[in-house]
Amino acid sequence: MRTGPEGYTDRFERYADRHPRVVDAVIVLVLMACAVVGSGLTRPGAAPPQRDATVLVVMGASCLALFTHRSRPRTVTVVNAVCIVAVTALEYVLTPLLLAPVMAALYWLTTHTGLRTARFYSLTTAAALMTTSAVFDPTYPSSPVPRSIGYCFWLLLPLAAGSMTRLRRAYVASVRARAEHAERTREEEARLRATEERMRIARELHDVVAHHLALANAQAGTAAHFALTDPQRTKKILTSLTDTTSSALRDLKTTLGLLRHDSIPASGPLEPSPGLAHLPQLVSACAAAGLTVTVTTTGEARPLTSAVDLTAFRIVQEALTNATKHAAADSADVHLTYEDCRLLITITNGAPSGNTGAAAAAPGPGFGIMGMRERALTAGGEFRAGPRPGGGFEVATSLPLRPTATKASSKTADDPAGEA
């Protein structure tokens, strides 16, 4: 809390905003007292003026007009200018006390309308005062300059004070606007981050739940088909079904563990995020569901960042899940190509055996392809999916990789400037 002059000014402005009539009444009473005192002053060596009710009525009218300075600042200035000219015509000495009401009117005119309008009214008032003083000042013939010209410079003070007040209010308003904008920006950024986090968690849950449920459904259907004809194979499939549901529970627990609050202790350590190292388990689960998956790798496999590794695994997982649910083919191919700066992943499922001309069914409406595309774009890669010309469906993605160290070192060795 500020206790200096600026702090007192802020508190006064806040009080004036809450109680404007009270502040106006106090100011008008003070200005009226100044006018009464100023009307009793005279020149050095001259007799005191014979005050009558006329000057009190005129100055009282000028002060009372100040009550409407918020709604009619120009009219209030004109009324005060006319009143002070009338007081000058009555041969009263112009002093800062008598000029106080018109100075207050000019100050409020500056704060309400601006400096250009206040300058015009101030110059007009000063010219009227000098003209009236030249006509009614008894010492004017002996003095080439009217005595009132010095007091006209007092009219410049409200212009300066009003301009400073106007600039200060504009500065405070701009600071408040910037603070409000910053607050809105922080809130919008927080909402955006929350939305992105919800989307990430929803995408992760979709990949986990949809994949394992699709495999479990396929395994259960296959087990029901061989239940009577091949009990041994049925038992093996049901064992794989148990492994699939257990894996689904573990992945779901890992994903939901990210939502736990820090103050809530977890029941156990969270498992690391899956990656391409988990492809053998994924291939085994698909085989139990009746889908034969062949994985081929071209190029030298390199360690991947956690984000790229998770993205690559989830795309392969979702593509194989779609092949299990929607495709009529019983096989799929996963091809990994490691290049210098990118990893190419292609997942294809061919047409059904015995009907090579028929295209495999494309994935139905859902969030699978949308989620894969979002994952690839988030990792800085590219993605495409669609039917193959010869039948089947293909999913392809390109994910960024860091350049190999050997090539970077050879490039440095070939560059003489690099050696230097």
Side-chain angles (χ1 to χ4, degrees):
M1 180 177 180
R2 295 181 296 181
T3 58
E6 293 184 358
Y8 292 120
T9 302
D10 293 339
R11 280 184 287 179
F12 176 77
E13 289 184 353
R14 289 195 296 267
Y15 183 83
D17 292 336
R18 292 194 300 266
H19 310 282
R21 293 300 179 184
V22 176
V23 175
D24 291 347
V26 173
I27 294 176
V28 168
L29 290 176
V30 173
L31 293 176
M32 191 173 295
C34 292
V36 171
V37 174
S39 63
L41 300 179
T42 184
R43 298 183 183 90
Q50 299 294 328
R51 290 189 296 182
D52 53 16
T54 303
V55 66
L56 298 179
V57 170
V58 172
M59 297 308 299
S62 66
C63 293
L64 292 176
L66 295 174
F67 276 110
T68 60
H69 72 86
R70 301 178 188 275
S71 58
R72 298 180 178 86
R74 294 178 177 83
T75 303
V76 171
T77 304
V78 171
V79 170
N80 276 268
V82 171
C83 291
I84 197 64
V85 168
V87 171
T88 305
L90 294 175
E91 299 183 2
Y92 281 85
V93 179
L94 290 180
T95 63
L97 294 177
L98 280 178
L99 291 173
V102 71
M103 291 172 64
L106 288 173
Y107 168 79
W108 282 319
L109 180 67
T110 306
T111 58
H112 292 323
T113 62
L115 183 60
R116 180 178 299 179
T117 302
R119 188 185 296 119
F120 170 76
Y121 279 82
S122 178
L123 294 177
T124 304
T125 303
L129 287 177
M130 286 189 294
T131 302
T132 306
S133 179
V135 173
F136 294 95
D137 190 354
T139 63
Y140 176 66
S142 61
S143 177
V145 180
R147 293 179 181 271
S148 61
I149 190 172
Y151 296 109
C152 292
F153 288 103
W154 285 94
L155 299 180
L156 299 178
L157 292 179
L159 301 184
S163 298
M164 293 178 61
T165 302
R166 189 178 178 87
L167 290 175
R168 182 178 179 279
R169 290 176 179 175
Y171 172 75
V172 172
S174 64
V175 170
R176 185 179 294 110
R178 286 197 298 268
E180 293 175 354
H181 176 71
E183 185 67 24
R184 288 196 303 269
T185 303
R186 283 194 296 269
E187 293 177 356
E188 292 173 359
E189 184 177 358
R191 286 196 296 268
L192 179 60
R193 289 183 178 179
T195 302
E196 292 177 350
E197 185 66 13
R198 286 196 299 269
M199 291 295 296
R200 186 187 67 82
I201 294 172
R203 191 164 53 235
E204 198 72 18
L205 287 175
H206 171 270
D207 291 343
V208 172
V209 175
H211 167 71
H212 289 293
L213 287 182
L215 289 181
N217 181 65
Q219 290 170 348
T222 305
H225 178 72
F226 291 105
L228 298 179
T229 59
D230 194 347
Q232 192 68 24
R233 185 174 182 180
T234 301
K235 181 179 178 180
K236 183 179 179 180
I237 293 175
L238 292 178
T239 303
S240 300
L241 178 60
T242 303
D243 296 337
T244 300
T245 54
S246 300
S247 178
L249 291 175
R250 286 194 303 270
D251 289 349
L252 190 61
K253 179 182 178 181
T254 301
T255 304
L256 295 179
L258 300 176
L259 300 177
R260 288 196 177 106
H261 196 272
D262 295 339
S263 61
I264 302 177
S267 58
L270 299 179
E271 296 183 1
S273 299
L276 292 181
H278 294 75
L279 278 183
Q281 294 90 326
L282 180 62
V283 171
S284 300
C286 293
L291 180 67
T292 303
V293 180
T294 304
V295 179
T296 57
T297 302
T298 303
E300 182 181 356
R302 304 200 306 272
L304 307 177
T305 62
S306 58
V308 173
D309 200 13
L310 176 62
T311 299
F313 178 80
R314 289 305 187 197
I315 290 177
V316 174
Q317 182 187 56
E318 181 63 27
L320 295 179
T321 301
N322 288 338
T324 304
K325 292 192 300 182
H326 305 292
D330 54 1
S331 64
D333 295 325
V334 178
H335 191 73
L336 306 177
T337 303
Y338 287 88
E339 296 184 354
D340 180 53
C341 296
R342 59 179 179 171
L343 170 63
L344 303 180
I345 303 175
T346 305
I347 306 98
T348 58
N349 58 275
S353 57
N355 187 16
T356 57
F367 298 98
I369 294 181
M370 182 187 303
M372 288 189 287
R373 179 176 287 107
E374 289 179 353
R375 283 186 178 276
L377 296 179
T378 302
E382 300 175 353
F383 177 85
R384 64 178 178 84
R388 301 173 62 192
F393 198 83
E394 180 180 82
V395 173
T397 183
S398 172
L399 301 177
L401 294 179
R402 287 174 294 188
T404 57
T406 56
K407 187 169 184 178
S409 60
S410 63
K411 182 178 179 181
T412 303
D414 294 339
D415 188 2
E419 292 182 356

